[in-house]
Amino acid sequence: MILPDDFATSLTSLLGDAQYKAFYNSLACETPPVSIRINKGKWPFHPQNATPVLWSTTGFYLQERPSFTFDPLFHAGAYYVQEASSMFLEQVLRQYICRPVTMLDLCAAPGGKSTLACSVLPKGSLLVSNEVMRNRVQVLVENMVKWGSADIVITNNDAASFAPLRAFFDVVLADVPCSGEGMFRKDPQVVQEWSLSNVEVCWQRQRHILRDVWDALKPGGLLIYSTCTYNRKENEDNINWVVEELGADVLPVSIPNDWGIQGNLSGRDFPVYRFLPHCVCGEGLFMAVLRKHGENKEVVNRSRNNVQSKKIKSKPIPNMDVLHSWLSDADKYVWQVKGQRVTAFPLIHNDKYDQLCKHLNICYAGITVAECKGKDYMPAHALAMSVESNIKPFHSVELSYEQAVSYLRKESIILGQDIDRGYVLVTFRNLPLGFVKNIGNRANNLYPQDWRIRSGFTPEKPVNLFL
């Protein structure tokens, strides 16, 4: 691997000659590690012959990279393919968040850190996952829906749109767009695009993003700042700027020395966490935790009685008893018809949701339960993916591996003669994959068109990461 001269000079100055040589050798000679994170809300098993990620309770390194596209469990949300260094967010959340919070993941696509937050935040928390790039929002929605949490709102806005929501969030995660130096080993194209001028653009853009969102963070709230780059300007220098210009204290995260995570390389004394590929089994990452100056206000966790007193304006929903039976605890939700879709959003967060709707472009929220088809309701794919769904009203059919891949390609599925007509939930290894409508001689495949496997390739043997 040939690295740009300006980059080599800059990083040598930061690391020193010996460390830079070790860094370069790790990029040039080592294969990027492959890691996944298990969704314990759906899947209790560990992958075969895997090594745990030290800073993650559900992260594992795989011995080789399988064809995830052809693993039905991946599409069912049993796990997420995530770079190991990024899983360090778990340590921050576990050490500093001990009660329900309202959290913003400001630059969330494709959803790795948001799905992690869904698994780690205390019960009763609300996560707002935002992505400014319109062409990246749909993959964020897909990954979040597959993960199955109901306590989510997905938005498509720039950072400045959050400014009117003053002191709204207890936690803001800003995994800001950066020069991407930490991705050199995984993506050679990033090496070709790197330049000192782009670094200059990035650190200035990052400060604009932080300034724009700052008012939305509560006094005493946490800012979790991260990049996937190495240089000081986008990392320590920006943290120092937040401290001096916006007003915050930098907080420590307790970690063992043998994890190999490095600290501040700028000569300043505040704690930061650097992942360097010659020191850890992972790609480049920088993370710092800051507390905004001011008194930390307690989150008002509204009771069910308080939110029920508010009238919800929505079209009446016929056959409500049927739809209610499709969720495990239907009374915990506000039910609404939005266009042709019937949605359920957690009552406990409804006042906050109303505020979000006034200022933001909402792409998805809660659970999409059904779609209206004339006088009939078709169960939505999100219902099959949700950990809050109740599958008892549906006939369930377990698919073979070959059938599951065919279903994920949105091909026709033939069910047994003893299967009742109507909507049928199809599963793989007892995990829901989605719905079909059995009409007798065949079953209409209801898998989302945009999510289907497009590749015509078929693996020689089933992808099986788990015993």
Side-chain angles (χ1 to χ4, degrees):
M1 178 183 292
I2 300 176
L3 299 178
D5 290 341
D6 287 337
F7 172 80
T9 300
S10 174
L11 201 58
T12 300
S13 175
L14 194 64
L15 298 180
D17 291 337
Q19 279 228 63
Y20 178 78
K21 183 177 180 180
F23 166 86
Y24 177 81
N25 288 338
S26 71
L27 263 61
C29 305
E30 298 178 13
T31 302
V34 180
S35 50
I36 65 172
R37 185 169 38 78
I38 306 300
N39 185 352
K40 289 294 187 179
K42 289 188 173 188
W43 191 249
F45 306 108
H46 293 176
Q48 306 176 64
N49 304 317
T51 304
V53 175
L54 295 174
W55 43 86
S56 171
T57 56
T58 56
F60 294 89
Y61 298 104
L62 306 181
Q63 291 187 343
E64 59 184 9
R65 187 178 189 88
S67 181
F68 293 113
T69 299
F70 294 96
D71 186 358
L73 294 176
F74 169 69
H75 295 275
Y79 63 90
Y80 188 93
V81 183
Q82 185 175 26
E83 204 285 307
S85 299
S86 296
M87 300 180 195
F88 184 68
L89 175 63
E90 177 181 338
Q91 295 297 318
V92 177
L93 295 179
R94 290 198 186 279
Q95 291 185 36
Y96 281 101
I97 309 300
C98 58
R99 58 180 174 81
V101 294
T102 301
M103 176 175 171
L104 169 64
D105 185 354
L106 183 60
C107 311
K113 292 183 177 67
S114 278
T115 54
L116 186 154
C118 285
S119 296
V120 174
L121 289 175
K123 187 176 181 180
S125 296
L126 175 66
L127 176 67
V128 178
S129 297
N130 177 71
E131 175 54 45
V132 65
M133 303 298 293
R134 183 178 297 273
N135 61 348
R136 288 165 54 86
V137 171
Q138 288 310 308
V139 69
L140 175 62
V141 172
E142 178 179 347
N143 286 327
M144 293 295 284
V145 167
K146 287 178 177 178
W147 205 249
S149 174
D151 299 294
I152 60 169
V153 177
I154 301 173
T155 59
N156 174 214
N157 290 91
D158 60 24
S161 299
F162 291 88
L165 293 162
R166 299 182 66 86
F168 188 87
F169 296 101
D170 303 281
V171 183
V172 171
L173 168 62
D175 185 24
V176 290
C178 68
S179 57
E181 296 163 355
M183 294 294 103
F184 280 0
R185 182 164 59 176
K186 292 183 68 174
D187 188 354
Q189 184 62 33
V190 179
V191 180
Q192 302 300 317
E193 295 173 352
W194 185 91
S195 67
L196 286 176
S197 61
N198 188 41
V199 170
E200 291 295 308
V201 170
C202 286
W203 71 257
Q204 294 177 62
R205 179 192 298 128
Q206 291 151 2
R207 293 187 186 186
H208 281 299
I209 290 171
L210 295 174
R211 190 184 292 279
D212 284 344
V213 80
W214 193 246
D215 284 347
L217 180 63
K218 289 182 179 180
L222 295 183
L223 170 69
I224 306 170
Y225 177 88
S226 69
T227 72
C228 58
T229 203
Y230 303 116
N231 66 79
R232 276 184 45 180
K233 290 185 176 182
E234 297 179 72
N235 295 327
E236 285 96 343
D237 290 357
N238 272 351
I239 299 304
N240 191 65
W241 175 83
V242 173
V243 169
E244 294 185 349
E245 296 296 324
L246 300 183
D249 297 316
V250 188
L251 304 180
V253 180
S254 178
I255 57 172
N257 291 331
D258 61 5
W259 282 2
I261 301 170
Q262 304 300 297
N264 198 315
L265 297 178
S266 70
R268 300 185 177 100
D269 61 358
F270 52 77
V272 301
Y273 303 89
R274 280 181 169 273
F275 289 69
L276 302 172
H278 63 292
C279 299
V280 301
C281 187
E283 300 307 299
L285 179 83
F286 174 93
M287 189 170 287
V289 186
L290 303 97
R291 189 181 299 282
K292 184 177 181 179
H293 286 167
E295 183 181 354
N296 190 4
K297 300 178 182 179
E298 288 295 318
V299 175
V300 178
N301 196 7
R302 298 181 182 274
S303 69
R304 179 177 163 184
N305 290 334
N306 286 339
V307 288
Q308 274 192 324
S309 65
K310 182 173 182 174
K311 292 183 180 180
I312 306 300
K313 295 181 179 180
S314 176
K315 290 164 45 178
I317 304 174
N319 301 322
M320 199 62 177
D321 289 344
V322 173
L323 295 180
H324 275 190
S325 72
W326 292 357
L327 289 184
S328 295
D329 193 350
D331 291 336
K332 294 194 309 183
Y333 299 91
V334 177
W335 292 76
Q336 292 181 286
V337 176
K338 297 181 178 181
Q340 298 301 308
R341 296 180 178 179
V342 180
T343 65
F345 188 81
L347 267 169
I348 195 172
H349 304 309
N350 191 58
D351 284 356
K352 294 175 183 177
Y353 180 59
D354 285 347
Q355 294 180 60
L356 293 170
C357 289
K358 292 176 182 178
H359 300 286
L360 304 176
N361 177 30
I362 309 294
C363 301
Y364 186 88
I367 309 167
T368 299
V369 178
E371 296 183 11
C372 303
K373 296 293 183 182
K375 296 182 179 181
D376 191 17
Y377 290 108
M378 180 179 74
H381 186 73
L383 179 68
M385 296 292 98
S386 176
V387 297
E388 306 294 338
S389 64
N390 175 28
I391 65 173
K392 292 180 180 178
F394 300 100
H395 197 117
S396 181
V397 174
E398 176 75 1
L399 301 182
S400 67
Y401 175 80
E402 290 75 18
Q403 287 176 313
V405 172
S406 182
Y407 171 76
L408 294 167
R409 283 186 168 130
K410 203 173 171 60
E411 297 171 352
S412 296
I413 301 292
I414 299 176
L415 304 179
Q417 295 297 318
D418 58 333
I419 305 300
D420 294 338
R421 296 193 180 200
Y423 295 111
V424 176
L425 180 72
V426 294
T427 64
F428 178 75
R429 297 189 65 173
N430 296 315
L431 196 62
L433 283 182
F435 291 100
V436 299
K437 186 172 185 181
N438 188 27
I439 58 176
N441 60 336
R442 73 177 191 280
N444 291 338
N445 192 328
L446 302 181
Y447 193 74
Q449 178 74 13
D450 292 341
W451 297 8
R452 72 192 188 282
I453 296 175
R454 292 174 171 81
S455 172
F457 170 79
T458 301
E460 294 181 2
K461 59 181 181 179
V463 177
N464 185 13
L465 302 181
F466 303 88
L467 292 174

